[in-house]
Amino acid sequence: MQVAIILYDGFDELDAVAPFEVFQNAGAAGADCEAELVALSDREFVTASHGMRVGVDGVLDPETDRPDLLVVPGGGWNSRAAQSAWAEAEKGEIPDAIAALHEAGTTVAGVCTGGMLLARAGILDGRPAVTHGGALSDLRETAAEVVSARVVDDGDVLTAGGVTSGLDLSLHVVEREFGSDIADAVSTEIEYERRTDPFDG
């Protein structure tokens, strides 16, 4: 499974790094799984919301690239920061890429307010979803069906609540795709106990 985690200026560090570590650990535990950090433009680094500079593995071209899973982190939505998920929603390039990749068959997962970028892309319309608690009112203004859950699995679209829920989402995907033994091995490696069963749409 090829996992692409899309980065943009102002993304929340843990929204992206936690899934990256989970998926890479799954690969080390024997799963056919590899994660990479990507951006829509050719750049060496992206600056996250708390100032971490993160290297980019490559450019994601929605017209030609077909990752099995696209992970979309949130960041800065609630404060409407100049560099944030909110800013990217307003620009439209990432929502357009999400929509194109989903249409082409890529499963899409939104972590925290990354779910708002999924909503802006239109792929949450009529589907159960969740986001960071501070953005739930915004999500309710979309066509998504907001549910009370830490992780929502609706098949080819998944969403997760606040920042640390990216761990639960990623471990759920690992278990869904590769089985409980691999997921348990990753949980043991990172010393994390999953907190909830996902809402299954």
Side-chain angles (χ1 to χ4, degrees), residues 23-201:
F23 291 122
Q24 291 296 86
N25 272 306
D32 183 12
C33 180
E34 183 177 4
E36 62 177 353
L37 304 172
V38 299
L40 288 183
S41 60
D42 187 11
R43 53 193 304 180
E44 187 175 358
F45 293 98
V46 175
T47 303
S49 61
H50 296 88
M52 180 184 288
R53 296 181 71 214
V54 181
V56 177
D57 295 319
V59 176
L60 178 67
D61 185 342
E63 295 186 2
T64 59
D65 294 329
R66 294 293 177 262
D68 299 297
L69 175 66
L70 176 69
V71 177
V72 184
W77 179 276
N78 298 327
S79 65
R80 304 297 197 256
Q83 294 182 328
S84 64
W86 166 261
E88 295 301 326
E90 293 297 292
K91 291 177 188 174
E93 293 177 3
I94 288 179
D96 288 349
I98 292 169
L101 287 165
H102 182 254
E103 177 68 21
T106 293
T107 295
V108 181
V111 178
C112 194
T113 55
M116 296 306 303
L117 289 167
L118 274 61
R120 189 64 67 93
I123 69 169
L124 296 184
D125 291 0
R127 307 182 74 155
V130 70
T131 187
H132 186 282
L136 284 173
S137 59
D138 289 335
L139 187 59
R140 290 189 181 100
E141 292 176 2
T142 73
E145 297 178 2
V146 178
V147 298
S148 177
R150 186 167 172 82
V151 175
V152 177
D153 181 347
D154 197 35
D156 60 345
V157 175
L158 301 95
T159 51
V163 179
T164 58
S165 63
L167 285 166
D168 294 288
L169 182 150
S170 303
L171 285 164
H172 168 68
V173 171
V174 168
E175 182 170 27
R176 188 180 87 170
E177 300 298 324
F178 304 108
S180 60
D181 287 349
I182 296 289
D184 289 344
V186 175
S187 295
T188 299
E189 175 65 23
I190 65 175
E191 295 192 359
Y192 180 75
E193 184 176 346
R194 283 179 279 177
R195 293 175 51 184
T196 185
D197 291 325
F199 176 91
D200 186 347

